[in-house]
Amino acid sequence: MRHPLGSGWCLAPENYASLDSSATNTYLGYSLEHSCFETDIVPWQLRPNRTYILAKGFEYFQTSKIDYRQILQDLTGHEYGFEFVIGAPDAIDVKNVVNVGNLNKTEFLSNLSRSKVLLGLGDPILSPSPYDALCLGVPFVNPIKGWDPKRPWDRSKWDSQHEALARLDPPYVYNVYYNDVEGFKKAIKTAMVTNLGERFVPEQMRSQAIVDRLGDIVFTNWKMRAIHFYEMNRLGNRRDGGGGWFIRTIAF
């Protein structure tokens, strides 16, 4: 839905303006520190060589462009013997993947903390789970689903599973083109032998940062902004396309 006063009146969970210069949503964001900090970090050396797959059902495998079957086959064999797990309420008909069942938030964080890497399949986009992983010392493999073929390194042209995290690099985030099987295997193998050492929480997602932005929002003179909007509209000089963006959502 659109806000009648424009997209600036819509609170956003991510800083969309940093991803798209045309975005004018008001960035509030969110923090996972409270729930994450309640979960102990499992010492890296005590974790099995386990990859947690970011998916809650078989449909995520069905719609994925990634050749996950080849990746699973190669990395679960005798040479490596890596584990791949998923938490889903229904049976998952994928060879070499162990389904630990339907998990609540606490159980999910506990399982995630015992993994060495979180693997994305392309969806859901902008999920909070990769932030949970980083907060628990677990890196994220972020699939790149689209790019400029003439400038594949240009991150501003990437269409990735988690655009906000695509700006980060290893050892925190491994950005891999969806059709690069060897790239996925290399990222997972590297993560298996790379200890992050501690929690990682982006500065903009810390609780104090949320408080600071909320203060700015509360003390903004929204009445004057509304008057300005209507005046610009009366003069036929709309600057946001006449009603603003559709409100964007994130999948949990």
Side-chain angles (χ1 to χ4, degrees):
M1 61 179 294
R2 294 176 184 267
H3 195 288
L5 295 180
S7 57
W9 294 68
C10 300
L11 298 180
E14 294 280 2
N15 187 2
Y16 294 137
S18 69
L19 309 176
D20 185 339
S21 59
S22 67
T24 58
N25 301 71
T26 296
Y27 174 44
L28 174 59
Y30 60 97
S31 176
L32 299 170
E33 285 183 300
H34 179 72
S35 59
C36 173
F37 285 8
E38 289 183 341
T39 303
D40 293 332
I41 289 186
V42 176
W44 184 82
Q45 62 273 17
L46 298 181
R47 305 180 196 181
N49 287 330
R50 172 187 294 172
T51 298
Y52 195 102
I53 300 176
L54 179 55
K56 294 182 180 179
F58 184 51
E59 63 272 16
Y60 291 96
F61 291 90
Q62 292 177 304
T63 58
S64 178
K65 296 182 178 180
I66 300 168
D67 189 357
Y68 60 84
R69 292 184 178 85
Q70 188 64 56
I71 297 170
L72 293 170
Q73 177 179 309
D74 293 348
L75 295 183
T76 56
H78 295 297
E79 183 177 0
Y80 299 105
F82 294 164
E83 300 176 17
F84 289 81
V85 303
I86 183 177
D90 302 314
I92 302 295
D93 186 21
V94 180
K95 188 178 180 181
N96 299 314
V97 174
V98 176
N99 184 7
V100 296
N102 192 24
L103 306 176
N104 60 33
K105 181 68 173 182
T106 301
E107 293 167 336
F108 166 70
L109 292 177
S110 178
N111 273 271
L112 188 58
S113 70
R114 297 196 297 273
S115 303
K116 285 188 176 179
V117 63
L118 177 67
L119 171 64
L121 295 176
D123 286 301
I125 62 171
L126 290 175
S127 165
S129 296
Y131 290 124
D132 283 319
L134 291 171
C135 186
L136 294 170
V138 178
F140 175 54
V141 179
N142 186 31
I144 306 169
K145 301 181 288 183
W147 58 89
D148 182 349
K150 295 181 179 180
R151 298 172 58 85
W153 60 87
D154 185 352
R155 301 191 191 204
S156 68
K157 304 297 184 182
W158 284 359
D159 173 21
S160 65
Q161 178 167 351
H162 207 296
E163 294 182 37
L165 287 177
R167 275 56 180 172
L168 298 181
D169 291 307
Y172 303 107
V173 177
Y174 297 83
N175 298 295
V176 184
Y177 302 104
Y178 81 88
N179 57 354
D180 187 0
V181 171
E182 293 303 315
F184 278 101
K185 290 163 55 178
K186 179 180 178 181
I188 293 171
K189 288 188 289 185
T190 301
M192 292 295 176
V193 296
T194 305
N195 183 2
L196 293 188
E198 58 185 14
R199 302 178 188 272
F200 175 75
V201 180
E203 287 299 323
Q204 72 274 15
M205 296 195 68
R206 294 189 176 275
S207 297
Q208 186 57 51
I210 311 298
V211 172
D212 293 341
R213 287 196 297 272
L214 181 59
D216 291 339
I217 293 170
V218 169
F219 289 106
T220 293
N221 191 332
W222 293 101
K223 180 178 179 180
M224 290 305 300
R225 284 199 175 190
I227 293 172
H228 176 73
F229 175 87
Y230 278 116
E231 183 64 18
M232 297 293 287
N233 184 61
R234 185 180 66 82
L235 297 174
N237 188 23
R238 286 175 163 178
R239 294 189 299 173
D240 71 341
W245 279 20
F246 284 100
I247 298 175
R248 300 177 66 174
T249 59
I250 57 176
F252 287 85

